[in-house]
PDB file of all heavy atoms in Angstrom:
ATOM      1  N   GLU A1017     153.432  -0.919 117.639  1.00 95.00           N
ATOM      2  CA  GLU A1017     153.825  -2.058 116.804  1.00 95.00           C
ATOM      3  C   GLU A1017     154.785  -3.017 117.488  1.00 95.00           C
ATOM      4  O   GLU A1017     154.643  -4.225 117.352  1.00 95.00           O
ATOM      5  CB  GLU A1017     154.440  -1.570 115.493  1.00 95.00           C
ATOM      6  CG  GLU A1017     153.451  -1.016 114.521  1.00 95.00           C
ATOM      7  CD  GLU A1017     152.437  -2.035 114.030  1.00 95.00           C
ATOM      8  OE1 GLU A1017     152.806  -3.200 113.751  1.00 95.00           O
ATOM      9  OE2 GLU A1017     151.256  -1.672 113.919  1.00 95.00           O
ATOM     10  N   VAL A1018     155.800  -2.489 118.181  1.00 96.00           N
ATOM     11  CA  VAL A1018     156.841  -3.364 118.719  1.00 96.00           C
ATOM     12  C   VAL A1018     156.983  -3.315 120.241  1.00 96.00           C
ATOM     13  O   VAL A1018     157.759  -4.078 120.813  1.00 96.00           O
ATOM     14  CB  VAL A1018     158.209  -3.098 118.044  1.00 96.00           C
ATOM     15  CG1 VAL A1018     158.147  -3.438 116.569  1.00 96.00           C
ATOM     16  CG2 VAL A1018     158.687  -1.669 118.257  1.00 96.00           C
ATOM     17  N   GLY A1019     156.272  -2.400 120.895  1.00 95.00           N
ATOM     18  CA  GLY A1019     156.292  -2.366 122.352  1.00 95.00           C
ATOM     19  C   GLY A1019     157.392  -1.526 122.977  1.00 95.00           C
ATOM     20  O   GLY A1019     157.532  -1.499 124.196  1.00 95.00           O
ATOM     21  N   PHE A1020     158.181  -0.836 122.160  1.00 95.00           N
ATOM     22  CA  PHE A1020     159.230   0.037 122.679  1.00 95.00           C
ATOM     23  C   PHE A1020     159.531   1.114 121.653  1.00 95.00           C
ATOM     24  O   PHE A1020     159.114   1.021 120.501  1.00 95.00           O
ATOM     25  CB  PHE A1020     160.512  -0.747 123.015  1.00 95.00           C
ATOM     26  CG  PHE A1020     161.182  -1.374 121.819  1.00 95.00           C
ATOM     27  CD1 PHE A1020     162.156  -0.696 121.104  1.00 95.00           C
ATOM     28  CD2 PHE A1020     160.844  -2.660 121.415  1.00 95.00           C
ATOM     29  CE1 PHE A1020     162.764  -1.267 119.996  1.00 95.00           C
ATOM     30  CE2 PHE A1020     161.451  -3.242 120.308  1.00 95.00           C
ATOM     31  CZ  PHE A1020     162.417  -2.547 119.596  1.00 95.00           C
ATOM     32  N   TYR A1021     160.266   2.140 122.115  1.00 95.00           N
ATOM     33  CA  TYR A1021     160.742   3.186 121.215  1.00 95.00           C
ATOM     34  C   TYR A1021     162.247   3.277 121.394  1.00 95.00           C
ATOM     35  O   TYR A1021     162.732   3.337 122.536  1.00 95.00           O
ATOM     36  CB  TYR A1021     160.073   4.532 121.522  1.00 95.00           C
ATOM     37  CG  TYR A1021     160.310   5.558 120.451  1.00 95.00           C
ATOM     38  CD1 TYR A1021     159.817   5.377 119.170  1.00 95.00           C
ATOM     39  CD2 TYR A1021     161.070   6.696 120.695  1.00 95.00           C
ATOM     40  CE1 TYR A1021     160.044   6.305 118.167  1.00 95.00           C
ATOM     41  CE2 TYR A1021     161.302   7.630 119.701  1.00 95.00           C
ATOM     42  CZ  TYR A1021     160.784   7.418 118.437  1.00 95.00           C
ATOM     43  OH  TYR A1021     161.023   8.330 117.434  1.00 95.00           O
ATOM     44  N   PRO A1022     163.010   3.256 120.325  1.00 95.00           N
ATOM     45  CA  PRO A1022     164.469   3.136 120.431  1.00 95.00           C
ATOM     46  C   PRO A1022     165.182   4.201 121.253  1.00 95.00           C
ATOM     47  O   PRO A1022     166.283   3.961 121.734  1.00 95.00           O
ATOM     48  CB  PRO A1022     164.939   3.197 118.975  1.00 95.00           C
ATOM     49  CG  PRO A1022     163.779   2.705 118.188  1.00 95.00           C
ATOM     50  CD  PRO A1022     162.563   3.204 118.927  1.00 95.00           C
ATOM     51  N   THR A1023     164.590   5.366 121.445  1.00 96.00           N
ATOM     52  CA  THR A1023     165.277   6.404 122.210  1.00 96.00           C
ATOM     53  C   THR A1023     165.111   6.237 123.715  1.00 96.00           C
ATOM     54  O   THR A1023     165.689   7.003 124.481  1.00 96.00           O
ATOM     55  CB  THR A1023     164.805   7.819 121.808  1.00 96.00           C
ATOM     56  OG1 THR A1023     163.422   7.950 122.111  1.00 96.00           O
ATOM     57  CG2 THR A1023     165.072   8.095 120.337  1.00 96.00           C
ATOM     58  N   THR A1024     164.352   5.237 124.129  1.00 95.00           N
ATOM     59  CA  THR A1024     164.164   4.962 125.557  1.00 95.00           C
ATOM     60  C   THR A1024     164.606   3.533 125.831  1.00 95.00           C
ATOM     61  O   THR A1024     164.105   2.592 125.217  1.00 95.00           O
ATOM     62  CB  THR A1024     162.689   5.131 125.968  1.00 95.00           C
ATOM     63  OG1 THR A1024     162.264   6.453 125.627  1.00 95.00           O
ATOM     64  CG2 THR A1024     162.503   4.902 127.449  1.00 95.00           C
ATOM     65  N   SER A1025     165.546   3.362 126.739  1.00 93.00           N
ATOM     66  CA  SER A1025     166.075   2.037 127.042  1.00 93.00           C
ATOM     67  C   SER A1025     164.977   1.125 127.576  1.00 93.00           C
ATOM     68  O   SER A1025     164.241   1.490 128.494  1.00 93.00           O
ATOM     69  CB  SER A1025     167.193   2.139 128.084  1.00 93.00           C
ATOM     70  OG  SER A1025     167.589   0.841 128.495  1.00 93.00           O
ATOM     71  N   ILE A1026     164.881  -0.060 126.995  1.00 91.00           N
ATOM     72  CA  ILE A1026     163.906  -1.041 127.479  1.00 91.00           C
ATOM     73  C   ILE A1026     164.379  -1.690 128.776  1.00 91.00           C
ATOM     74  O   ILE A1026     163.610  -2.353 129.447  1.00 91.00           O
ATOM     75  CB  ILE A1026     163.592  -2.125 126.415  1.00 91.00           C
ATOM     76  CG1 ILE A1026     164.857  -2.867 125.986  1.00 91.00           C
ATOM     77  CG2 ILE A1026     162.901  -1.508 125.215  1.00 91.00           C
ATOM     78  CD1 ILE A1026     164.622  -4.010 125.013  1.00 91.00           C
ATOM     79  N   ILE A1027     165.617  -1.439 129.142  1.00 90.00           N
ATOM     80  CA  ILE A1027     166.176  -2.023 130.359  1.00 90.00           C
ATOM     81  C   ILE A1027     165.861  -1.161 131.581  1.00 90.00           C
ATOM     82  O   ILE A1027     165.392  -1.664 132.595  1.00 90.00           O
ATOM     83  CB  ILE A1027     167.701  -2.222 130.214  1.00 90.00           C
ATOM     84  CG1 ILE A1027     167.966  -3.209 129.068  1.00 90.00           C
ATOM     85  CG2 ILE A1027     168.332  -2.704 131.519  1.00 90.00           C
ATOM     86  CD1 ILE A1027     169.380  -3.252 128.582  1.00 90.00           C
ATOM     87  N   ASP A1028     166.092   0.154 131.474  1.00 94.00           N
ATOM     88  CA  ASP A1028     165.923   1.007 132.651  1.00 94.00           C
ATOM     89  C   ASP A1028     165.103   2.277 132.412  1.00 94.00           C
ATOM     90  O   ASP A1028     164.939   3.088 133.304  1.00 94.00           O
ATOM     91  CB  ASP A1028     167.276   1.376 133.244  1.00 94.00           C
ATOM     92  CG  ASP A1028     168.201   2.050 132.241  1.00 94.00           C
ATOM     93  OD1 ASP A1028     167.718   2.532 131.184  1.00 94.00           O
ATOM     94  OD2 ASP A1028     169.421   2.093 132.498  1.00 94.00           O
ATOM     95  N   GLY A1029     164.585   2.464 131.184  1.00 93.00           N
ATOM     96  CA  GLY A1029     163.732   3.604 130.891  1.00 93.00           C
ATOM     97  C   GLY A1029     164.450   4.921 130.682  1.00 93.00           C
ATOM     98  O   GLY A1029     163.809   5.959 130.514  1.00 93.00           O
ATOM     99  N   VAL A1030     165.770   4.921 130.666  1.00 95.00           N
ATOM    100  CA  VAL A1030     166.540   6.148 130.470  1.00 95.00           C
ATOM    101  C   VAL A1030     166.467   6.547 128.997  1.00 95.00           C
ATOM    102  O   VAL A1030     166.586   5.713 128.106  1.00 95.00           O
ATOM    103  CB  VAL A1030     168.012   5.955 130.918  1.00 95.00           C
ATOM    104  CG1 VAL A1030     168.847   7.177 130.581  1.00 95.00           C
ATOM    105  CG2 VAL A1030     168.081   5.639 132.398  1.00 95.00           C
ATOM    106  N   ARG A1031     166.258   7.836 128.744  1.00 94.00           N
ATOM    107  CA  ARG A1031     166.160   8.366 127.381  1.00 94.00           C
ATOM    108  C   ARG A1031     167.553   8.665 126.824  1.00 94.00           C
ATOM    109  O   ARG A1031     168.445   9.057 127.564  1.00 94.00           O
ATOM    110  CB  ARG A1031     165.327   9.642 127.343  1.00 94.00           C
ATOM    111  CG  ARG A1031     163.899   9.497 127.799  1.00 94.00           C
ATOM    112  CD  ARG A1031     162.848   9.322 126.817  1.00 94.00           C
ATOM    113  NE  ARG A1031     162.812  10.137 125.631  1.00 94.00           N
ATOM    114  CZ  ARG A1031     161.941   9.912 124.672  1.00 94.00           C
ATOM    115  NH1 ARG A1031     161.065   8.937 124.784  1.00 94.00           N
ATOM    116  NH2 ARG A1031     161.924  10.661 123.598  1.00 94.00           N
ATOM    117  N   SER A1032     167.679   8.499 125.508  1.00 94.00           N
ATOM    118  CA  SER A1032     168.943   8.851 124.861  1.00 94.00           C
ATOM    119  C   SER A1032     169.196  10.338 125.054  1.00 94.00           C
ATOM    120  O   SER A1032     168.281  11.128 125.222  1.00 94.00           O
ATOM    121  CB  SER A1032     168.913   8.498 123.383  1.00 94.00           C
ATOM    122  OG  SER A1032     167.966   9.280 122.701  1.00 94.00           O
ATOM    123  N   GLY A1033     170.455  10.703 125.041  1.00 90.00           N
ATOM    124  CA  GLY A1033     170.848  12.080 125.326  1.00 90.00           C
ATOM    125  C   GLY A1033     171.283  12.246 126.763  1.00 90.00           C
ATOM    126  O   GLY A1033     172.019  13.170 127.087  1.00 90.00           O
ATOM    127  N   SER A1034     170.845  11.336 127.638  1.00 92.00           N
ATOM    128  CA  SER A1034     171.251  11.357 129.038  1.00 92.00           C
ATOM    129  C   SER A1034     172.594  10.645 129.172  1.00 92.00           C
ATOM    130  O   SER A1034     172.863   9.663 128.474  1.00 92.00           O
ATOM    131  CB  SER A1034     170.206  10.630 129.891  1.00 92.00           C
ATOM    132  OG  SER A1034     170.723  10.339 131.176  1.00 92.00           O
ATOM    133  N   ALA A1035     173.422  11.106 130.078  1.00 93.00           N
ATOM    134  CA  ALA A1035     174.701  10.446 130.335  1.00 93.00           C
ATOM    135  C   ALA A1035     174.499   9.017 130.834  1.00 93.00           C
ATOM    136  O   ALA A1035     175.373   8.172 130.689  1.00 93.00           O
ATOM    137  CB  ALA A1035     175.514  11.248 131.346  1.00 93.00           C
ATOM    138  N   ALA A1036     173.331   8.734 131.402  1.00 95.00           N
ATOM    139  CA  ALA A1036     173.043   7.401 131.930  1.00 95.00           C
ATOM    140  C   ALA A1036     172.483   6.441 130.879  1.00 95.00           C
ATOM    141  O   ALA A1036     172.263   5.274 131.169  1.00 95.00           O
ATOM    142  CB  ALA A1036     172.050   7.522 133.095  1.00 95.00           C
ATOM    143  N   PHE A1037     172.272   6.930 129.648  1.00 94.00           N
ATOM    144  CA  PHE A1037     171.715   6.071 128.594  1.00 94.00           C
ATOM    145  C   PHE A1037     172.763   5.082 128.098  1.00 94.00           C
ATOM    146  O   PHE A1037     173.906   5.448 127.831  1.00 94.00           O
ATOM    147  CB  PHE A1037     171.226   6.912 127.411  1.00 94.00           C
ATOM    148  CG  PHE A1037     170.650   6.099 126.293  1.00 94.00           C
ATOM    149  CD1 PHE A1037     169.353   5.607 126.368  1.00 94.00           C
ATOM    150  CD2 PHE A1037     171.398   5.800 125.153  1.00 94.00           C
ATOM    151  CE1 PHE A1037     168.811   4.854 125.338  1.00 94.00           C
ATOM    152  CE2 PHE A1037     170.866   5.053 124.118  1.00 94.00           C
ATOM    153  CZ  PHE A1037     169.568   4.580 124.212  1.00 94.00           C
ATOM    154  N   HIS A1038     172.341   3.821 127.989  1.00 91.00           N
ATOM    155  CA  HIS A1038     173.191   2.766 127.434  1.00 91.00           C
ATOM    156  C   HIS A1038     172.424   2.078 126.315  1.00 91.00           C
ATOM    157  O   HIS A1038     171.267   1.681 126.517  1.00 91.00           O
ATOM    158  CB  HIS A1038     173.579   1.744 128.504  1.00 91.00           C
ATOM    159  CG  HIS A1038     174.388   2.333 129.615  1.00 91.00           C
ATOM    160  ND1 HIS A1038     175.702   2.695 129.465  1.00 91.00           N
ATOM    161  CD2 HIS A1038     174.062   2.634 130.894  1.00 91.00           C
ATOM    162  CE1 HIS A1038     176.154   3.194 130.599  1.00 91.00           C
ATOM    163  NE2 HIS A1038     175.177   3.176 131.477  1.00 91.00           N
ATOM    164  N   PRO A1039     173.035   1.923 125.147  1.00 92.00           N
ATOM    165  CA  PRO A1039     172.365   1.233 124.045  1.00 92.00           C
ATOM    166  C   PRO A1039     171.902  -0.164 124.468  1.00 92.00           C
ATOM    167  O   PRO A1039     172.630  -0.873 125.160  1.00 92.00           O
ATOM    168  CB  PRO A1039     173.452   1.157 122.973  1.00 92.00           C
ATOM    169  CG  PRO A1039     174.361   2.308 123.274  1.00 92.00           C
ATOM    170  CD  PRO A1039     174.366   2.398 124.778  1.00 92.00           C
ATOM    171  N   PHE A1040     170.712  -0.529 124.059  1.00 93.00           N
ATOM    172  CA  PHE A1040     170.137  -1.819 124.449  1.00 93.00           C
ATOM    173  C   PHE A1040     169.968  -2.769 123.271  1.00 93.00           C
ATOM    174  O   PHE A1040     169.620  -3.925 123.446  1.00 93.00           O
ATOM    175  CB  PHE A1040     168.784  -1.609 125.148  1.00 93.00           C
ATOM    176  CG  PHE A1040     167.762  -0.945 124.261  1.00 93.00           C
ATOM    177  CD1 PHE A1040     166.930  -1.700 123.446  1.00 93.00           C
ATOM    178  CD2 PHE A1040     167.636   0.440 124.242  1.00 93.00           C
ATOM    179  CE1 PHE A1040     165.997  -1.083 122.623  1.00 93.00           C
ATOM    180  CE2 PHE A1040     166.710   1.059 123.427  1.00 93.00           C
ATOM    181  CZ  PHE A1040     165.887   0.294 122.615  1.00 93.00           C
ATOM    182  N   TRP A1041     170.200  -2.290 122.077  1.00 95.00           N
ATOM    183  CA  TRP A1041     170.008  -3.110 120.893  1.00 95.00           C
ATOM    184  C   TRP A1041     171.255  -3.954 120.654  1.00 95.00           C
ATOM    185  O   TRP A1041     172.316  -3.738 121.221  1.00 95.00           O
ATOM    186  CB  TRP A1041     169.705  -2.226 119.685  1.00 95.00           C
ATOM    187  CG  TRP A1041     170.716  -1.133 119.518  1.00 95.00           C
ATOM    188  CD1 TRP A1041     171.924  -1.208 118.902  1.00 95.00           C
ATOM    189  CD2 TRP A1041     170.618   0.191 120.037  1.00 95.00           C
ATOM    190  NE1 TRP A1041     172.592  -0.018 118.991  1.00 95.00           N
ATOM    191  CE2 TRP A1041     171.813   0.869 119.685  1.00 95.00           C
ATOM    192  CE3 TRP A1041     169.645   0.880 120.757  1.00 95.00           C
ATOM    193  CZ2 TRP A1041     172.050   2.190 120.037  1.00 95.00           C
ATOM    194  CZ3 TRP A1041     169.888   2.192 121.096  1.00 95.00           C
ATOM    195  CH2 TRP A1041     171.070   2.839 120.741  1.00 95.00           C
ATOM    196  N   ASP A1042     171.099  -4.930 119.756  1.00 95.00           N
ATOM    197  CA  ASP A1042     172.201  -5.835 119.446  1.00 95.00           C
ATOM    198  C   ASP A1042     173.026  -5.367 118.257  1.00 95.00           C
ATOM    199  O   ASP A1042     174.198  -5.735 118.127  1.00 95.00           O
ATOM    200  CB  ASP A1042     171.648  -7.240 119.165  1.00 95.00           C
ATOM    201  CG  ASP A1042     170.907  -7.773 120.366  1.00 95.00           C
ATOM    202  OD1 ASP A1042     171.571  -8.113 121.346  1.00 95.00           O
ATOM    203  OD2 ASP A1042     169.651  -7.805 120.342  1.00 95.00           O
ATOM    204  N   TRP A1043     172.417  -4.563 117.398  1.00 95.00           N
ATOM    205  CA  TRP A1043     173.096  -4.144 116.170  1.00 95.00           C
ATOM    206  C   TRP A1043     172.455  -2.857 115.698  1.00 95.00           C
ATOM    207  O   TRP A1043     171.229  -2.730 115.701  1.00 95.00           O
ATOM    208  CB  TRP A1043     172.922  -5.242 115.132  1.00 95.00           C
ATOM    209  CG  TRP A1043     173.489  -4.960 113.779  1.00 95.00           C
ATOM    210  CD1 TRP A1043     172.792  -4.580 112.660  1.00 95.00           C
ATOM    211  CD2 TRP A1043     174.847  -5.043 113.366  1.00 95.00           C
ATOM    212  NE1 TRP A1043     173.643  -4.418 111.595  1.00 95.00           N
ATOM    213  CE2 TRP A1043     174.919  -4.706 112.008  1.00 95.00           C
ATOM    214  CE3 TRP A1043     176.022  -5.368 114.036  1.00 95.00           C
ATOM    215  CZ2 TRP A1043     176.102  -4.676 111.301  1.00 95.00           C
ATOM    216  CZ3 TRP A1043     177.204  -5.345 113.329  1.00 95.00           C
ATOM    217  CH2 TRP A1043     177.234  -5.012 111.975  1.00 95.00           C
TER     218      TRP A1043
END
């Protein structure tokens, strides 16, 4: 539907739960 899944960064592909994950959303 939207081309991404919130648990995977659209910037660098890092999955949430990883120390390297950074939120990519605005709100």
Side-chain angles (χ1 to χ4, degrees):
E1017 286 296 319
V1018 296
F1020 65 91
Y1021 192 64
T1023 63
T1024 303
S1025 173
I1026 58 176
I1027 298 166
D1028 56 17
V1030 174
R1031 299 263 315 174
S1032 66
S1034 165
F1037 180 79
H1038 297 287
F1040 61 89
W1041 52 84
D1042 300 288
W1043 177 258

